[in-house]
Amino acid sequence: MSSTPETRPNGPQVVIIGAGIVGCSLADELTARGWTDVTVLEQGPLPAPGGSTSHAPGLVFQTSPSRTLTALARYTVEKFASLRADGVPCFNQVGGLELATTPERLTDLHRKAGYAAAWGIRGEVVGPARCKELWPLIDESVVLGGFHTPDDGLARALLAARAQLERATGKGARFLDRHTVTGIEKENGRVTAVVTDQGVFPADHVVSAAGFWGPVIGRMAGVDVPLQPLAHQYARTRPLADLQDHEAEATRPILRFQDRDLYFREHTDRIGIGSYAHRPLPVDPFAILPYDEARARNMDMPSSFPFTTEDWAPSWDDCRRLIPALRETEIEEGFNGVFSFTPDGMPVLGETRQLRGFWLAEAVWVTHSAGVAKAVAEWMVDGRPSLDLHECDLTRFEDAQRSPSYVRERGSQQFVEVYDVLHPLQPMERPRPLRVSPFYARQQQLGARFLEGGGWERPHWYEANAPLVDAMDPLPERDAWSARYWSPIAAAEAKATREKVALYDMTPLRRLEVTGPGALDFLSRMTTNNLRKKPGAVTYTLLLDETGGVRSDLTVARLAPDRFQVGANSPADLDWLTRHAPEGVQIRDITSGTCCVGVWGPLARDLVQPLTRDDFSHEGFGYFRAKETHLGHVPVTAMRLSYVGELGWELYTTADLGLRLWDTLWEAGADLGVVAAGRSAFNSLRLEKGYRAWGVDMTDEHNPYEAGIGFAVRTDKEFLGRAALEDAPVTRRLTPLLLDEPAAVVLGKEPVYVDGAAAGYVTSASYGYTLGRCVAYAWLPAGLATGTGVHIEYFGEKVPATVAEEPLFDPKMTRIRR
């Protein structure tokens, strides 16, 4: 009797496609965990197969606005610093230095220093003199300051790949170069083998770590890989007199001149220069030549395209302005190197839904390579990564975001914005509009100011409400940064919601329909709360993983004995439920075919009750109940829920009737002073009530008790992750903070200091217009008493705040339950 993959002594058969830095790192991480039946296939020659790794300049800057990317980079530094090949270290920890030559950039460096403190990276903002000391060749007179990170440095990518190749080989892995993949075999929805020009390789798991060839491999598997290769200029100077006595490869920090989209590193007595300042140069992954054909055409490697001097000229002037010594030399060599971008600039990781056992580890730069490999290896061996990867999960893209034209346009824009100062709310400008709700025309008429998320146009406030601002007390003046993508109109809309009634477009929120005779048992097993209630009940509940981490939070409405509507967060929720669904249970994403209006405020009942014969009184339609009814001519599913802390309903109908629903509500609310309100007011109101946002306030790294949502866990029933909660530690908590000064504002991701030391970070923040203070939620050590004083670092300034007791607004829930 043959053994199953799980019982084989060497683990399942794994084939990794690509022996660049990601493939080699992954083979090392898998074999270290006991999966030693690993074959790595590479079309080019080893150890330099000709992909992005072969030409990578090796810059590793750890600090990012993304906590996940920072953690991936930190592990890469730790691992590569421990590796040697031929006696040479695989990481040169020279540090990093980002320069500011404009006031805006200097301010941004203070923000970046805050990220570093929040994520546990050493770094400080320094003055021009210290910048000159760290990099003597720069012209100090054009520099306003810099951000110095002593633990960053240069990865010797090919050496690091070889060191890990050798370690993995020592544990049983094999690396085969000159093997071109020509097909992926599958059976019953699972991958079974990889076909090459040198033979067929059976596999229980296949990982595409093919870099910019990822879309080519994906097509063989029937999987789209949302990745766009682009060419990026890199040049080396002739020897510099100022560096003629240098023997080491590099001694000075990696230098970034982001105001001109440039970076610099030493190559002994030369300087290497990379530029993002040129026009995007997208490359068709299906047209990139194989290694031998590229060499036959006098290319160094498939990833190295000819240098375009016309793109270089403006950057060379900027280089010489910053580093006067470059005026005495010329460019000796240059090339346009190809590497990968995605629509949101994040890697694409995980097992595909279309083909089980087929994994992606794509769009990964050297900076994050070892961290990604560790996370994917954990995912494959243990069933989950130890780090939250929802920002990188391949399921995160909507269908509307997967077209080749969308990926090309957004990927190219990511290239343009690599070094730009970006506001956390700043949306991409193209292609828009892409997804709009049925209310879009009315929103435009009301002067909606749209931002974008998940491809959806989302109103953040409405210019039609500007006259309401005049009737309010003056708001504290905002700083220029927090005033971007904000308007005092949001305060007026929040006030109207608290005092009258407002309509909110909730259409972009994901909706799933779960049906079938086993639907109740299935959902009960998958979620934490009690769903065994009569039809008409709505329940707030959680999806956990096996370790008790919060994968998502859901609202589940039982509309019929075997029919449920689930309010979810992301495509990953659909993927997770589909993976676990038994035969006979159907799960369907109904978001695009439906729409939703939130009607909230003390006059919400006055608005909706005259439109229906059904009883919408508190006694007739209680909180967290659902009812299928009609409002005017429109059939709706009404749910008495409120994420703004006021009386009201979520009203759902089909997309074709959405405009009629909006107009019906708008007309009925005219005498009540109804307003349309946007996401800016919504976020303020939900934080005043302490309502969590999954993916921002909590992820699968947190258990329900840490996140303050233990009330949604019923331990008297069985559910996925229950056993792990029995010993779940609570060493940190999601903690509400009120800023002490009425004018102070923070936006999120800032470090929080307790007793002078960085102790956590802000997740969500917004001004609480009802409270007259900015509200911030932060992950902090458990046990901080209400009233404890802390400080939040905002652009280098320590802003005082106080631990508060939640909910901050209407703690007895009298406004919702009336």
Side-chain angles (χ1 to χ4, degrees):
M1 181 177 177
S2 62
S3 59
T4 65
E6 291 75 16
T7 60
R8 291 178 192 147
N10 298 326
Q13 291 178 306
V14 179
V15 175
I16 300 171
I17 301 172
I21 190 63
V22 178
C24 291
S25 297
L26 180 57
D28 183 45
E29 294 288 341
L30 286 172
T31 55
R33 287 165 174 77
W35 281 21
T36 58
D37 190 351
V38 175
T39 300
V40 184
L41 303 174
E42 173 55 57
Q43 68 168 344
L46 292 173
S52 299
T53 302
S54 301
H55 67 66
L59 282 66
V60 179
F61 281 91
Q62 298 173 88
T63 305
S64 164
S66 166
R67 178 173 170 269
T68 297
L69 285 186
T70 301
L72 295 173
R74 183 168 55 225
Y75 181 78
T76 300
V77 168
E78 292 170 358
K79 184 175 187 181
F80 288 1
S82 71
L83 297 176
R84 301 177 78 86
D86 297 333
V88 179
C90 294
F91 191 74
N92 186 1
Q93 204 153 34
V94 293
L97 178 63
E98 301 179 41
L99 298 179
T101 60
T102 64
E104 182 185 33
R105 180 69 62 180
L106 183 60
T107 301
D108 188 61
L109 294 186
H110 281 286
R111 182 170 64 114
K112 188 164 285 186
Y115 292 146
W119 313 145
I121 302 296
R122 291 200 303 158
E124 63 174 340
V125 176
V126 297
R130 178 58 174 155
C131 293
K132 178 74 171 178
E133 184 181 333
L134 290 165
W135 245 88
L137 298 185
I138 65 171
D139 180 356
E140 181 184 358
S141 68
V142 303
V143 175
L144 301 180
F147 176 50
H148 180 223
T149 46
D151 298 324
D152 292 338
L154 294 165
R156 298 183 174 100
L158 284 176
L159 282 183
R162 184 148 62 87
Q164 293 176 101
L165 179 156
E166 292 170 355
R167 294 203 323 184
T169 301
K171 296 185 181 72
R174 58 176 176 166
F175 288 74
L176 304 176
D177 63 1
R178 301 292 188 173
H179 280 61
T180 300
V181 175
T182 59
I184 305 293
E185 292 187 349
K186 50 197 126 173
E187 185 176 336
N188 298 325
R190 283 202 63 87
V191 69
T192 58
V194 177
V195 182
T196 75
D197 59 352
Q198 303 293 319
V200 179
F201 295 84
D204 302 304
H205 296 274
V206 174
V207 185
S208 178
F212 51 70
W213 280 294
V216 179
I217 301 300
R219 179 176 291 183
M220 297 178 191
V223 173
D224 64 303
V225 179
L227 173 162
Q228 176 60 55
L230 285 108
H232 157 62
Q233 290 202 305
Y234 192 78
R236 292 193 196 199
T237 68
R238 296 184 185 279
L240 270 68
D242 297 83
L243 302 178
Q244 63 182 350
D245 297 327
H246 280 217
E247 296 182 0
E249 176 195 12
T251 59
R252 297 186 176 98
I254 312 160
L255 187 68
R256 290 205 278 189
F257 182 20
Q258 291 165 298
D259 289 322
R260 289 296 181 267
D261 296 307
L262 294 165
Y263 63 82
F264 305 83
R265 58 152 295 180
E266 295 170 291
H267 290 282
T268 311
D269 60 352
R270 294 164 170 79
I271 293 180
I273 308 166
S275 172
Y276 293 99
H278 56 83
R279 61 195 167 94
L281 299 169
V283 177
D284 181 358
F286 295 91
I288 298 176
L289 299 175
Y291 185 89
D292 290 331
E293 191 172 341
R295 295 286 288 176
R297 298 193 186 186
N298 295 320
M299 295 171 62
D300 287 339
M301 58 190 77
S303 60
S304 178
F305 281 44
F307 194 63
T308 49
T309 55
E310 66 275 15
D311 291 310
W312 177 255
S315 292
W316 188 228
D317 291 338
D318 291 328
C319 293
R320 291 174 158 186
R321 181 168 65 90
L322 179 69
I323 303 176
L326 296 179
R327 299 169 189 167
E328 309 302 321
T329 188
E330 297 294 336
I331 295 301
E332 184 173 66
E333 59 180 349
F335 65 96
N336 289 0
V338 181
F339 63 139
S340 302
F341 286 81
T342 60
D344 61 3
M346 301 293 285
V348 180
L349 311 177
E351 185 185 21
T352 65
R353 185 189 310 166
Q354 301 96 318
L355 184 60
R356 298 303 186 212
F358 186 77
W359 296 74
L360 299 181
E362 298 291 10
V364 181
W365 294 6
V366 170
T367 303
H368 312 108
S369 55
V372 163
K374 175 176 182 276
V376 172
E378 291 172 336
W379 208 341
M380 296 174 71
V381 176
D382 304 327
R384 72 181 297 274
S386 57
L387 177 70
D388 165 49
L389 291 182
H390 83 273
E391 292 178 308
C392 309
D393 194 312
L394 59 87
T395 64
R396 70 188 183 273
F397 294 113
E398 306 282 351
D399 289 343
Q401 297 173 300
R402 291 180 171 272
S403 69
S405 58
Y406 183 95
V407 173
R408 179 186 175 98
E409 191 162 359
R410 286 288 171 100
S412 297
Q413 189 63 26
Q414 288 292 336
F415 177 92
V416 170
E417 295 180 350
V418 161
Y419 282 168
D420 286 1
V421 176
L422 298 175
H423 192 277
L425 292 177
Q426 185 171 333
M428 286 280 190
E429 294 302 321
R430 300 181 307 274
R432 291 179 62 193
L434 185 63
R435 306 176 79 187
V436 298
S437 81
F439 324 130
Y440 184 65
R442 298 294 183 264
Q443 293 165 343
Q444 288 180 303
Q445 292 167 3
L446 292 170
R449 291 297 179 260
F450 294 98
L451 300 184
E452 186 241 24
W456 288 99
E457 294 297 317
R458 304 183 184 214
H460 272 241
W461 66 86
Y462 295 84
E463 290 296 331
N465 295 323
L468 300 178
V469 178
D470 298 335
M472 298 176 56
D473 293 333
L475 293 169
E477 186 174 346
R478 287 203 172 202
D479 66 278
W481 185 253
S482 66
R484 292 190 192 181
Y485 305 102
W486 174 84
S487 168
I489 295 172
E493 293 173 0
K495 186 173 187 287
T497 307
R498 291 277 187 242
E499 295 180 354
K500 294 183 179 180
V501 61
L503 305 185
Y504 288 82
D505 180 3
M506 307 303 290
T507 300
L509 301 185
R510 184 165 305 278
R511 293 172 290 286
L512 309 177
E513 183 182 71
V514 182
T515 58
L520 175 59
D521 289 341
F522 165 64
L523 288 173
S524 182
R525 185 175 71 253
M526 293 300 296
T527 66
T528 60
N529 214 335
N530 176 31
L531 303 184
R532 298 187 182 278
K533 303 171 184 176
K534 295 179 180 179
V538 183
T539 306
Y540 176 80
T541 188
L542 310 174
L543 282 180
L544 306 184
D545 62 21
E546 291 84 351
T547 68
V550 181
R551 284 192 58 93
S552 189
D553 61 341
L554 312 174
T555 52
V556 179
R558 191 177 189 187
L559 302 180
D562 297 328
R563 179 165 64 91
F564 296 81
Q565 182 171 308
V566 178
N569 285 296
S570 75
D573 295 342
L574 174 62
D575 182 67
W576 180 256
L577 291 171
T578 301
R579 287 175 184 269
H580 289 84
E583 188 173 347
V585 172
Q586 294 81 42
I587 306 171
R588 190 165 62 97
D589 190 328
I590 61 172
T591 309
S592 296
T594 56
C595 59
C596 178
V597 182
V599 182
W600 290 312
L603 302 182
R605 184 175 286 117
D606 299 73
L607 193 158
V608 297
Q609 182 63 81
L611 298 174
T612 179
R613 294 179 179 179
D614 285 310
D615 184 1
F616 270 58
S617 69
H618 182 62
E619 295 73 22
F621 197 153
Y623 190 52
F624 265 79
R625 298 291 300 172
K627 186 177 293 189
E628 293 183 298
T629 183
H630 288 80
L631 295 182
H633 298 95
V634 182
V636 300
T637 299
M639 298 185 194
R640 191 170 166 196
L641 308 175
S642 174
Y643 287 91
V644 300
E646 296 293 336
L647 171 69
W649 288 265
E650 293 178 359
L651 303 174
Y652 299 89
T653 192
T654 53
D656 59 321
L657 289 166
L659 191 59
R660 185 60 178 263
L661 174 62
W662 180 278
D663 289 345
T664 299
L665 295 169
W666 189 257
E667 182 179 343
D671 293 339
L672 302 173
V674 68
V675 303
R679 297 288 297 180
S680 187
F682 176 89
N683 200 45
S684 169
L685 297 169
R686 71 104 180 161
L687 282 171
E688 289 184 333
K689 281 298 293 180
Y691 293 140
R692 277 62 167 150
W694 187 87
V696 179
D697 298 315
M698 58 190 179
T699 69
D700 60 8
E701 289 187 10
H702 311 108
N703 69 53
Y705 307 118
E706 295 174 316
I709 48 176
F711 63 85
V713 177
R714 290 285 297 268
T715 55
D716 58 350
K717 54 165 279 198
E718 291 298 323
F719 56 84
L720 183 65
R722 180 184 180 278
L725 293 184
E726 293 178 2
D727 301 310
V730 181
T731 59
R732 57 188 174 176
R733 289 189 185 276
L734 187 60
T735 305
L737 304 174
L738 277 177
L739 275 63
D740 293 352
E741 300 170 5
V745 174
V746 298
L747 300 180
K749 299 187 178 181
E750 297 89 357
V752 181
Y753 290 79
V754 179
D755 295 329
Y761 59 91
V762 174
T763 58
S764 295
S766 181
Y767 201 85
Y769 303 110
T770 316
L771 304 173
R773 293 287 191 280
C774 183
V775 180
Y777 271 77
W779 281 104
L780 291 171
L784 291 180
T786 299
T788 300
V790 301
H791 287 85
I792 303 173
E793 183 178 322
Y794 183 69
F795 289 99
E797 299 294 327
K798 298 293 197 304
V799 179
T802 302
V803 174
E805 185 173 353
E806 62 177 343
L808 304 172
F809 175 78
D810 189 26
K812 295 183 178 180
M813 303 283 282
T814 55
R815 298 176 70 90
I816 292 178
R817 302 177 184 273
R818 58 181 171 184

